[in-house]
Amino acid sequence: VETPPADPAEAEAFLRLYHAENPAAGPLRTRLREVLRSIARTGTYTHTPDELVYGARVAWRNSARCIGRLYWRALRVRDLRDVGSVEGVAVGCVEHLREATGDGRIRPTITVFAPDRPGRPGPRVLNEQLIRYAGYRRADGSVYGDPRNADLTDLARGLGWTGGAGTRFDVLPLVVRAGDGPPRVCAIPGDAVLEVPLRHPDHPWFASLGLRWHAVPAISGMRLEIGGVRYPCAPFNGWYMGTEIGARNLGDADRYDMVPAVAARLGLDTSHDRTLWRDRALVELNVAVLASFAAAGVTITDHHTESRRFLAHLEREERAGRICPADWSWIVPPISGSATPVFHRYYDEARLTPAFVQPGAGV
Amino acid sequence: VETPPADPAEAEAFLRLYHAENPAAGPLRTRLREVLRSIARTGTYTHTPDELVYGARVAWRNSARCIGRLYWRALRVRDLRDVGSVEGVAVGCVEHLREATGDGRIRPTITVFAPDRPGRPGPRVLNEQLIRYAGYRRADGSVYGDPRNADLTDLARGLGWTGGAGTRFDVLPLVVRAGDGPPRVCAIPGDAVLEVPLRHPDHPWFASLGLRWHAVPAISGMRLEIGGVRYPCAPFNGWYMGTEIGARNLGDADRYDMVPAVAARLGLDTSHDRTLWRDRALVELNVAVLASFAAAGVTITDHHTESRRFLAHLEREERAGRICPADWSWIVPPISGSATPVFHRYYDEARLTPAFVQPGAGV
Ligand code: HEM
Ligand code: HEM
């Protein structure tokens, strides 16, 4: 694991931004001198608690792929920078889930664990999200469960995980590394994972498909970068937009691939693409997701509401004199694109920091 | 109207491409010398009939926004380069519509009128497409018909068009300019415009919405550029992909905006976005378009079929050792994006010539 020193230019750019947007934070100059001296001496520096909170929120604000940024100022930041052990990280992640889940009133939250320091890498969670369903490889090459997580499932088994109950929705354990140490599996207690069984408001048979999904999407596979400091373990969550579950997780042909089964139960004519049976089934799958979460009292948003909110966010950012970078192909929802206002315009594509970064994404 | 001389470098690049892909075309060197001499002497040159056909087809092949390129080799090219008068262009466009419509078996066709020459601009059709429905402005600022064509409707009226029958689907006359001459209106005979009344296979009430659409999408507002020569009037058509009509033309809020009316007739609960009434109504609108065209024997394609064809095209192009530029946000259909295979990948974004160019699009 490579842990380069903090780049002084990035540190300076961040501190300038922080002080410009937070005039009450005191004199820039003093802090800048302190930070540059620390980098020169130790290869890194330590963010103040306020810098950390601000940096994490602005990393969200800068996430060009995220349609949910209207509430970026409300991100709850849990400061666990003194935690770097496997056990500590696992416990911190489980606490994160409990706090963020809030019995269904989901709270956008980030937990920041120990940063990388020169020669001393921080901890990492190898799961892409804190909650992932196992994908069990079968002899014929197919996968039972979520095919996206087949590799992670193999890895967990190789590390001693004995497997779950054998359903299509077995929650995988966390796979955690501390620094250069070996990866280890840590189970997530069942009561830390709120799930919603899926029903359709008009079709009783829908429940018999046995579908469910977890309430909290908590991305744990991205690195948080603030002012040249890298936090390799900083899981964050918002609440779901329904299409993430209904269109992508349950609908994609290489995920749960439920569109053909739903179309069959709906009695649609699947003999020709022209009947748009795929489109119809996909909409009903999404209706079921939104209605089930709402009925269970679990926060969720739909793509129409969220598109409007995003345009409100864009306007606010413009009024604040800021660029709001956005990636059209991620912002436009995966169903009914042109029925949402975000479809009908272009966006700024600047790449700003602080940022969340996919490890291995180059820059 | 600015009509710069042909760029010798572009002429050379085109001739090299043409001779590389058409070894039977004879020696490049002779032709190149001839063309460069002609540009030096006259500021332009004349494509051979074969160069024109090849150039038009490759302009289609290079159209990064077009999902329908699998059949680029089959484009029919009508050579009307000796036509530049208003009457001549109008007659040529009407002939184009008749030939391309083929009683419903639509044929991808382009008609190439006189090019720009230094100091002698070619003709132009000011309509964005040969067939456009009028948008009549009302006193309250709203538009009756297609709001997209309100400016063109104003223009036509200012030039003496007395208006159509007063329906929401009145075909506008062509507005044609010859060189620097004044724009003039030329009616399109009704029997040159095949239209399809829209019905829904499951909902008899749908017909009473009175919706219809024309069979042939013939873009007349783009310039064809081949080897440095600009053809400002070169209308081309394929057949429709259903979403162009069902999602965009009839669905967009700033076009016919039919989603609320269809949702109301479907009896959907429009009290909350979460019921996905927009998504459901949009799908049924698209079902009606595809079914009505099929029933009328008019060629149309759906976005699932066309996505597969496009990926077949991409593969063929790769096998031929060529880049296939594609613009994700145009290629992915406006409904059910993630249900089509074109959603799940990225594309090359190179800008190649020959090309179709929006006038005023810079380069
Ligand atoms: C509050 C509710 C939120 C909603 C509704 C929301 C919605 C979304 C959606 C729909 C995506 C696209 C996901 C995909 O297609 O895979 C996305 C991506 C993203 N969001 Fe949000 N988000 C929310 C909160 C947050 C928070 C709290 C953060 C960080 C603090 C965040 C950062 C990101 C990032 C970095 C991505 C890109 C992920 C990637 O590259 O894979 N979002 N968001
Ligand atoms: C044969 C059937 C064809 C199909 C199904 C097809 C499909 C499409 C679709 C769906 C679009 C996007 C339209 C929009 O969203 O506004 C498009 C754009 C385009 N197509 Fe095709 N196409 C076909 C034939 C052709 C032909 C024959 C040409 C030229 C010779 C062509 C050139 C283009 C160009 C230049 C664009 C971009 C238009 C713009 O920038 O506004 N296409 N096509």
Side-chain angles (χ1 to χ4, degrees), chain A residues 10-329:
Chain A
E10 286 183 37
E12 176 165 351
F14 169 66
L15 291 174
R16 287 191 184 283
L17 184 71
Y18 171 64
H19 284 265
E21 295 193 7
N22 300 277
L28 166 65
R29 248 214 233 146
T30 323
R31 176 64 178 146
L32 189 54
R33 204 162 39 210
E34 184 178 82
V35 163
L36 296 179
R37 209 177 288 152
S38 170
I39 294 179
R41 233 183 15 239
T42 68
T44 188
Y45 67 106
T46 302
H47 290 123
T48 66
D50 283 350
E51 285 168 1
L52 184 72
V53 168
Y54 170 80
R57 289 178 178 164
V58 174
W60 183 9
R61 184 176 88 192
N62 288 341
S63 295
R65 295 173 164 185
C66 179
I67 195 173
R69 286 176 274 167
L70 182 60
Y71 305 122
W72 67 272
R73 285 171 205 280
L75 180 67
R76 294 156 58 103
V77 181
R78 301 174 69 235
D79 182 354
L80 267 68
R81 286 178 291 170
D82 56 351
V83 174
S85 70
V86 168
E87 295 73 19
V89 167
V91 168
C93 288
V94 170
E95 274 170 16
H96 178 125
L97 285 177
R98 289 193 208 279
E99 286 194 28
T101 304
D103 270 342
R105 278 206 65 221
I106 293 171
R107 307 180 181 115
T109 304
I110 186 170
T111 301
V112 184
F113 293 100
D116 284 344
R117 304 176 65 91
R120 270 172 53 203
R124 266 157 311 140
V125 168
L126 303 190
N127 311 45
E128 172 189 49
Q129 293 191 19
L130 294 183
I131 306 173
R132 293 274 79 178
Y133 292 124
Y136 300 105
R137 285 189 212 282
R138 289 187 284 213
D140 65 358
S142 68
V143 173
Y144 184 73
D146 192 342
R148 182 168 180 121
N149 305 319
D151 286 348
L152 181 62
T153 305
D154 289 346
L155 176 65
R157 300 202 114 183
L159 294 171
W161 183 56
T162 53
T167 77
R168 281 180 298 165
F169 299 98
D170 288 354
V171 174
L172 284 165
L174 295 171
V175 182
V176 185
R177 290 185 67 180
D180 283 322
R184 287 173 44 200
V185 293
C186 311
I188 303 177
D191 67 348
V193 180
L194 180 61
E195 292 183 284
V196 178
L198 302 184
R199 302 172 200 295
H200 190 290
D202 313 325
H203 302 297
W205 54 258
F206 195 95
S208 70
L209 294 173
L211 301 177
R212 54 201 293 118
W213 205 259
H214 54 90
V216 178
I219 297 184
S220 43
M222 296 182 86
R223 180 171 73 220
L224 169 62
E225 291 196 8
I226 303 175
V229 176
R230 296 174 165 201
Y231 297 97
C233 190
F236 58 84
N237 74 278
W239 48 76
Y240 265 115
M241 183 161 90
T243 53
E244 296 178 79
I245 305 169
R248 309 298 314 280
N249 301 346
L250 296 176
D252 278 1
D254 59 359
R255 301 290 301 283
Y256 282 86
D257 193 20
M258 292 305 300
V259 173
V262 171
R265 294 304 303 266
L266 285 167
L268 300 179
D269 172 4
T270 59
S271 69
H272 197 287
D273 284 328
R274 192 172 56 222
T275 65
L276 302 191
W277 59 272
R278 277 198 194 80
D279 311 67
R280 282 169 159 169
L282 202 50
V283 171
E284 298 313 319
L285 198 44
N286 279 277
V287 166
V289 168
L290 291 167
S292 304
F293 271 61
V298 174
T299 315
I300 196 162
T301 185
D302 66 80
H303 48 292
H304 302 288
T305 303
E306 209 55 27
S307 293
R308 278 198 308 273
R309 282 193 191 143
F310 181 67
L311 293 186
H313 170 65
L314 267 185
E315 247 178 58
R316 271 202 210 169
E317 288 298 293
E318 264 169 35
R319 272 203 308 274
R322 286 192 291 261
I323 280 178
C324 176
D327 181 335
W328 195 97
S329 69

Side-chain angles (χ1 to χ4, degrees), chain B residues 56 60 63 65-68 71 75 108-110 219 222 236-241 244 248 301 306 330 356 358:
Chain B
W60 183 11
S63 296
R65 296 174 163 183
C66 180
I67 195 173
Y71 305 122
L75 179 68
T109 304
I110 185 169
I219 296 183
M222 295 181 86
F236 58 83
N237 74 279
W239 48 76
Y240 266 116
M241 184 162 89
E244 296 179 78
R248 309 297 313 280
T301 184
E306 209 55 28
W330 282 68
F356 294 105
Q358 294 285 5

